[in-house]
């Protein structure tokens, strides 16, 4: 199977490639990166029709290479990805976070056992905390938290500081049932976040690979 991975951050390829090596090494991967997308979104402050068209263009290129499925790794662009999914149907097109949300919600409901589940959502890109919470079901309380400075640390090549800042910020989510890490690049901090919160931690790469494999096996 050929899987197209489309990224808006240059830090996203390593964690998703590592997840494929662990769980689906037979998959053939291709990477498409436009790291100006996140910078343009940060400047604009909102998604625009032009951004949606850029996503459609990337997906058309991916489909033209013979991809069997597309996985986006940029969590702040949900509506753009929905437009791609509509155009490319029935090809599987996954948002970066949809599989993680499904897994995190299932575990939070199990832990909550009758009360309203609480999911902590940790992000390193601020706009993700505006675009991603509506993707959770209404019966779940989403508690958002920004790991301030963590993405800048990663951009500067200081991965250790990125992980430390993520774990420090995540302490505010210790009262939640589970913690979900919004960015693919945050997956590397999962062990420290779990230690800081004492809660189950869900990452986007591993959840996405598992769902893609299930979809394409059918």
């Amino acid at each position: 199977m050929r899987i197209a991975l489309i990224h808006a951050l240059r830090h996203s390829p390593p964690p998703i490639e590592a997840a494929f090596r662990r769980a689906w090494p037979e998959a053939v991967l291709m990477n498409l990166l436009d790291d100006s997308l996140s910078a343009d979104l940060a400047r604009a402050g909102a998604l625009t029709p032009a951004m949606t068209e850029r996503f459609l263009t990337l997906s058309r290129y991916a489909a033209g290479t013979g991809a069997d499925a597309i996985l986006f790794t940029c969590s702040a662009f949900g509506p753009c990805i929905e437009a791609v999914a509509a155009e490319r149907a029935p090809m599987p097109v996954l948002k970066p976070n949809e599989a993680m949300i499904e897994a995190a919600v299932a575990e939070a409901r199990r832990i909550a056992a009758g009360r309203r589940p609480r999911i902590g959502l940790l992000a390193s890109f601020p706009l993700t905390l505006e675009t991603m919470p509506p993707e959770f079901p209404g019966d779940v309380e989403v508690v958002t938290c920004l790991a301030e400075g963590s993405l800048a640390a990663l951009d500067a090549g200081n991965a250790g500081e990125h992980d430390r800042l993520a774990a420090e910020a995540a302490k505010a989510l210790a009262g939640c049932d589970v913690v979900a890490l919004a960015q693919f690049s945050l997956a590397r901090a999962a062990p420290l976040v779990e230690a800081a919160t004492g809660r189950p931690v869900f990452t986007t790469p591993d959840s996405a690979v598992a769902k893609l494999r299930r979809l394409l096996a059918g």
Side-chain angles (χ1 to χ4, degrees), residues 75 97 100-101 104 118-136 140-147 166 169-170 172-174 176-183 186 193 197 200-204:
S75 56
N97 37 44
M100 179 189 70
I101 289 173
R118 300 182 81 229
I119 295 179
L121 180 64
L122 183 69
S124 56
F125 187 65
L127 285 172
T128 299
L129 297 179
E130 298 177 20
T131 60
M132 190 170 165
E135 297 178 25
F136 286 80
V140 171
E141 179 185 356
V142 179
V143 182
T144 61
C145 180
L146 177 65
L173 304 175
C176 297
D177 296 304
V178 303
V179 176
L181 304 185
Q183 268 75 47
L186 274 171
V193 171
T197 62
V201 174
F202 290 83
T203 69
T204 44

Side-chain angles (χ1 to χ4, degrees), residues 47-66:
L47 297 173
T48 66
M51 289 178 188
T52 298
E53 188 58 37
R54 288 164 70 181
F55 271 73
L56 290 168
T57 298
L58 287 166
S59 70
R60 290 164 189 156
Y61 178 84
T65 70

Side-chain angles (χ1 to χ4, degrees), residues 60-179:
R60 290 164 189 156
Y61 178 84
T65 70
D68 298 292
I70 298 173
L71 171 62
F72 287 91
T73 66
C74 31
S75 56
F77 296 88
C80 300
I81 299 168
E82 290 166 8
V84 171
E87 181 177 274
R88 299 253 63 90
M91 174 191 286
V93 174
L94 264 63
K95 293 180 182 177
N97 37 44
E98 66 179 79
M100 179 189 70
I101 289 173
E102 291 168 4
V105 167
E107 180 64 7
R109 285 173 175 161
R110 186 191 69 79
I111 293 172
R115 60 174 171 77
R116 190 182 185 194
R118 300 182 81 229
I119 295 179
L121 180 64
L122 183 69
S124 56
F125 187 65
L127 285 172
T128 299
L129 297 179
E130 298 177 20
T131 60
M132 190 170 165
E135 297 178 25
F136 286 80
D139 68 311
V140 171
E141 179 185 356
V142 179
V143 182
T144 61
C145 180
L146 177 65
E148 292 194 37
S150 60
L151 188 56
L154 200 58
D155 285 337
N158 194 339
E161 179 68 359
H162 165 272
D163 297 354
R164 186 192 70 79
L165 290 169
E168 186 65 28
K171 291 178 181 177
L173 304 175
C176 297
D177 296 304
V178 303
V179 176

